[in-house]
Amino acid sequence: VSRVGLTSSLPMIPGFTAVELVPERFNFSPGQESVTIVSSSVDHGYFQALGVGIVSGRAFLETDTTDSPWVAVVDETFANRYLGSNPIGKRVRFVQLDGRTAEVVGVSVQSRHNSIFTPPQPFLYLPATQHPVPRMTLIAETTSDPAGMVDPLREVVRSIDINVPVYRIETMEELFAQRSVAVANLLVGMATIVGFVGLALALIGLYA
Protein backbone atom coordinates (compact mmCIF):
# COMPACT_ATOMS: atom_id res chain seq x y z
CA VAL A 1 0.00 0.00 0.00
CA SER A 2 1.48 3.32 -1.10
CA ARG A 3 -1.31 5.76 -0.19
CA VAL A 4 -4.50 5.64 1.85
CA GLY A 5 -7.43 7.97 2.36
CA LEU A 6 -10.86 8.11 3.95
CA THR A 7 -14.06 9.55 2.53
CA SER A 8 -17.73 9.62 3.42
CA SER A 9 -18.69 9.09 -0.24
CA LEU A 10 -17.08 7.95 -3.46
CA PRO A 11 -17.60 9.45 -6.92
CA MET A 12 -20.51 7.91 -8.87
CA ILE A 13 -22.02 6.35 -5.74
CA PRO A 14 -25.10 8.06 -4.22
CA GLY A 15 -24.57 9.25 -0.69
CA PHE A 16 -23.18 12.77 -0.82
CA THR A 17 -24.27 15.17 1.91
CA ALA A 18 -26.09 18.37 0.98
CA VAL A 19 -25.09 21.49 2.91
CA GLU A 20 -26.74 24.89 2.81
CA LEU A 21 -24.22 27.71 2.82
CA VAL A 22 -23.53 31.33 1.92
CA PRO A 23 -20.29 32.08 -0.01
CA GLU A 24 -18.51 35.24 1.09
CA ARG A 25 -19.39 38.37 -0.92
CA PHE A 26 -21.52 36.46 -3.42
CA ASN A 27 -24.53 38.36 -4.76
CA PHE A 28 -27.56 36.10 -4.93
CA SER A 29 -30.59 36.74 -7.11
CA PRO A 30 -33.47 38.58 -5.41
CA GLY A 31 -35.28 36.24 -3.04
CA GLN A 32 -32.35 33.82 -2.71
CA GLU A 33 -30.19 33.93 0.41
CA SER A 34 -28.18 30.70 0.26
CA VAL A 35 -27.21 27.78 -1.96
CA THR A 36 -27.29 24.02 -1.37
CA ILE A 37 -24.07 22.23 -2.31
CA VAL A 38 -23.20 18.53 -2.30
CA SER A 39 -20.22 17.74 -0.09
CA SER A 40 -18.07 14.96 1.27
CA SER A 41 -16.05 14.56 4.47
CA VAL A 42 -12.52 13.36 3.68
CA ASP A 43 -9.25 12.99 5.52
CA HIS A 44 -5.88 14.52 4.70
CA GLY A 45 -4.84 11.53 2.54
CA TYR A 46 -7.91 11.42 0.29
CA PHE A 47 -6.78 13.71 -2.52
CA GLN A 48 -3.50 11.92 -3.17
CA ALA A 49 -4.97 8.44 -2.69
CA LEU A 50 -7.69 9.02 -5.28
CA GLY A 51 -5.59 11.25 -7.53
CA VAL A 52 -7.73 14.37 -7.10
CA GLY A 53 -5.42 17.23 -8.05
CA ILE A 54 -5.21 20.48 -6.09
CA VAL A 55 -4.88 23.34 -8.59
CA SER A 56 -4.38 26.12 -6.03
CA GLY A 57 -3.90 26.37 -2.29
CA ARG A 58 -3.55 23.15 -0.33
CA ALA A 59 -5.31 19.95 0.64
CA PHE A 60 -6.25 19.12 4.21
CA LEU A 61 -3.53 18.57 6.80
CA GLU A 62 -3.32 16.42 9.91
CA THR A 63 -3.29 19.69 11.85
CA ASP A 64 -6.82 20.55 10.63
CA THR A 65 -8.55 19.31 13.77
CA THR A 66 -11.51 20.25 15.95
CA ASP A 67 -9.22 22.58 17.88
CA SER A 68 -8.16 24.55 14.79
CA PRO A 69 -10.15 26.98 12.60
CA TRP A 70 -12.60 25.34 10.21
CA VAL A 71 -11.36 24.92 6.64
CA ALA A 72 -12.76 23.69 3.33
CA VAL A 73 -11.63 22.70 -0.16
CA VAL A 74 -13.83 23.51 -3.14
CA ASP A 75 -13.63 22.27 -6.70
CA GLU A 76 -13.04 24.52 -9.73
CA THR A 77 -16.75 24.63 -10.58
CA PHE A 78 -17.61 25.93 -7.10
CA ALA A 79 -14.74 28.43 -7.13
CA ASN A 80 -15.60 29.83 -10.56
CA ARG A 81 -19.30 30.15 -9.82
CA TYR A 82 -19.30 31.48 -6.27
CA LEU A 83 -15.85 32.75 -5.25
CA GLY A 84 -14.39 34.52 -8.26
CA SER A 85 -10.77 34.72 -9.38
CA ASN A 86 -9.19 34.66 -5.89
CA PRO A 87 -10.98 31.92 -3.92
CA ILE A 88 -8.18 31.08 -1.46
CA GLY A 89 -8.81 32.74 1.87
CA LYS A 90 -12.48 33.45 1.26
CA ARG A 91 -15.07 32.01 3.63
CA VAL A 92 -18.30 30.06 3.38
CA ARG A 93 -20.95 30.29 6.09
CA PHE A 94 -22.97 27.20 7.03
CA VAL A 95 -26.66 27.92 7.55
CA GLN A 96 -27.43 24.76 9.57
CA LEU A 97 -24.37 24.95 11.84
CA ASP A 98 -25.26 28.08 13.79
CA GLY A 99 -23.70 30.29 11.15
CA ARG A 100 -20.17 28.94 11.60
CA THR A 101 -17.77 29.69 8.78
CA ALA A 102 -14.92 27.84 7.10
CA GLU A 103 -11.97 29.29 5.23
CA VAL A 104 -11.33 27.99 1.71
CA VAL A 105 -7.75 26.74 1.75
CA GLY A 106 -7.68 24.84 -1.54
CA VAL A 107 -9.27 24.37 -4.96
CA SER A 108 -9.40 20.89 -6.53
CA VAL A 109 -9.81 19.93 -10.15
CA GLN A 110 -13.28 19.92 -11.68
CA SER A 111 -14.87 16.49 -11.43
CA ARG A 112 -18.06 14.63 -12.22
CA HIS A 113 -19.20 13.25 -8.88
CA ASN A 114 -22.65 11.87 -9.64
CA SER A 115 -22.20 10.42 -13.11
CA ILE A 116 -19.97 10.75 -16.16
CA PHE A 117 -23.13 11.57 -18.11
CA THR A 118 -24.01 14.69 -16.11
CA PRO A 119 -22.16 18.02 -16.23
CA PRO A 120 -19.87 18.92 -13.32
CA GLN A 121 -21.64 20.47 -10.34
CA PRO A 122 -20.14 22.64 -7.56
CA PHE A 123 -18.61 20.44 -4.88
CA LEU A 124 -17.35 21.04 -1.35
CA TYR A 125 -14.83 18.95 0.61
CA LEU A 126 -14.80 19.13 4.40
CA PRO A 127 -12.15 17.62 6.72
CA ALA A 128 -13.47 14.52 8.43
CA THR A 129 -11.78 15.58 11.66
CA GLN A 130 -14.02 18.66 11.82
CA HIS A 131 -17.11 17.08 10.23
CA PRO A 132 -17.10 13.41 11.31
CA VAL A 133 -19.58 10.90 9.88
CA PRO A 134 -20.38 7.41 11.22
CA ARG A 135 -19.49 5.51 8.06
CA MET A 136 -16.38 6.00 5.93
CA THR A 137 -14.83 4.36 2.88
CA LEU A 138 -11.16 3.45 2.99
CA ILE A 139 -9.21 4.03 -0.23
CA ALA A 140 -5.93 2.19 -0.63
CA GLU A 141 -3.57 2.69 -3.55
CA THR A 142 -1.34 -0.33 -4.06
CA THR A 143 1.83 -1.04 -6.01
CA SER A 144 0.69 -4.61 -6.75
CA ASP A 145 -2.53 -6.41 -7.59
CA PRO A 146 -5.20 -4.72 -5.42
CA ALA A 147 -7.16 -7.95 -5.15
CA GLY A 148 -4.31 -9.40 -3.11
CA MET A 149 -4.75 -6.70 -0.47
CA VAL A 150 -8.34 -7.60 0.46
CA ASP A 151 -7.54 -10.08 3.24
CA PRO A 152 -4.63 -8.09 4.73
CA LEU A 153 -6.80 -4.95 4.89
CA ARG A 154 -9.59 -6.90 6.59
CA GLU A 155 -7.09 -8.17 9.17
CA VAL A 156 -5.77 -4.67 9.84
CA VAL A 157 -9.26 -3.32 10.51
CA ARG A 158 -10.12 -6.37 12.65
CA SER A 159 -6.94 -5.87 14.70
CA ILE A 160 -7.99 -2.30 15.48
CA ASP A 161 -11.64 -3.01 16.26
CA ILE A 162 -13.26 -6.39 15.66
CA ASN A 163 -16.72 -4.79 15.79
CA VAL A 164 -16.15 -2.59 12.71
CA PRO A 165 -17.76 -4.23 9.67
CA VAL A 166 -15.83 -4.29 6.40
CA TYR A 167 -17.87 -4.82 3.25
CA ARG A 168 -18.16 -3.95 -0.44
CA ILE A 169 -14.46 -4.21 -1.16
CA GLU A 170 -13.85 -3.52 -4.85
CA THR A 171 -11.32 -1.87 -7.11
CA MET A 172 -11.88 1.54 -8.68
CA GLU A 173 -11.86 -0.18 -12.09
CA GLU A 174 -14.76 -2.39 -10.99
CA LEU A 175 -16.58 0.61 -9.54
CA PHE A 176 -16.11 2.60 -12.74
CA ALA A 177 -17.28 -0.34 -14.85
CA GLN A 178 -20.43 -0.75 -12.76
CA ARG A 179 -21.33 2.93 -12.59
CA SER A 180 -20.34 4.14 -16.03
CA VAL A 181 -19.51 1.46 -18.60
CA ALA A 182 -22.43 -0.78 -17.60
CA VAL A 183 -24.83 2.17 -17.68
CA ALA A 184 -23.52 3.26 -21.07
CA ASN A 185 -23.92 -0.25 -22.45
CA LEU A 186 -27.47 -0.40 -21.06
CA LEU A 187 -28.36 2.89 -22.72
CA VAL A 188 -26.84 1.76 -26.03
CA GLY A 189 -28.74 -1.53 -25.79
CA MET A 190 -32.03 0.24 -25.10
CA ALA A 191 -31.42 2.63 -27.99
CA THR A 192 -30.67 -0.33 -30.27
CA ILE A 193 -33.88 -2.12 -29.24
CA VAL A 194 -35.94 1.03 -29.79
CA GLY A 195 -34.28 1.44 -33.16
CA PHE A 196 -35.12 -2.11 -34.20
CA VAL A 197 -38.72 -1.67 -33.02
CA GLY A 198 -38.99 1.54 -35.01
CA LEU A 199 -37.54 -0.18 -38.09
CA ALA A 200 -39.94 -3.10 -37.71
CA LEU A 201 -42.94 -0.75 -37.45
CA ALA A 202 -41.73 1.15 -40.51
CA LEU A 203 -41.38 -2.08 -42.52
CA ILE A 204 -44.86 -3.21 -41.44
CA GLY A 205 -46.23 0.14 -42.50
CA LEU A 206 -44.54 -0.05 -45.88
CA TYR A 207 -45.76 -3.61 -46.41
CA ALA A 208 -49.32 -2.58 -45.60
Side-chain angles (χ1 to χ4, degrees), residues 1-2 140-149 171:
V1 175
S2 54
E141 181 187 48
T142 68
T143 56
S144 59
D145 181 13
M149 295 304 302
T171 66

Side-chain angles (χ1 to χ4, degrees), residues 18-31:
V19 293
E20 186 180 359
L21 52 80
V22 180
E24 183 180 19
R25 294 196 294 272
F26 180 76
N27 295 319
F28 286 104
S29 303

Side-chain angles (χ1 to χ4, degrees), residues 51-180:
V52 178
I54 300 294
V55 296
S56 64
R58 66 170 176 84
F60 297 136
L61 305 174
E62 291 186 73
T63 52
D64 294 321
T65 65
T66 53
D67 298 324
S68 60
W70 277 17
V71 294
V73 171
V74 300
D75 73 344
E76 290 177 299
T77 307
F78 185 108
N80 294 334
R81 185 174 302 182
Y82 297 111
L83 301 178
S85 57
N86 298 305
I88 304 300
K90 290 186 176 178
R91 310 187 72 82
V92 293
R93 176 169 57 85
F94 299 94
V95 176
Q96 297 103 327
L97 303 176
D98 299 325
R100 292 194 63 173
T101 63
E103 179 185 351
V104 175
V105 296
V107 177
S108 71
V109 295
Q110 177 178 272
S111 303
R112 286 177 168 84
H113 297 276
N114 295 322
S115 168
I116 63 172
F117 306 106
T118 58
Q121 298 295 320
F123 199 85
L124 176 75
Y125 296 97
L126 299 171
T129 48
Q130 298 177 349
H131 302 266
V133 296
R135 183 179 67 112
M136 301 287 282
T137 296
L138 172 69
I139 303 166
E141 181 187 48
T142 68
T143 56
S144 59
D145 181 13
M149 295 304 302
V150 172
D151 289 336
L153 286 173
R154 285 185 185 274
E155 289 302 320
V156 169
V157 175
R158 188 177 291 112
S159 68
I160 297 172
D161 189 343
I162 196 171
N163 296 313
V164 174
V166 179
Y167 57 96
R168 285 193 62 183
I169 299 180
E170 55 191 345
T171 66
M172 290 303 297
E173 289 183 355
E174 293 170 342
L175 175 65
F176 183 78
Q178 293 170 10
R179 299 290 175 172
S180 59

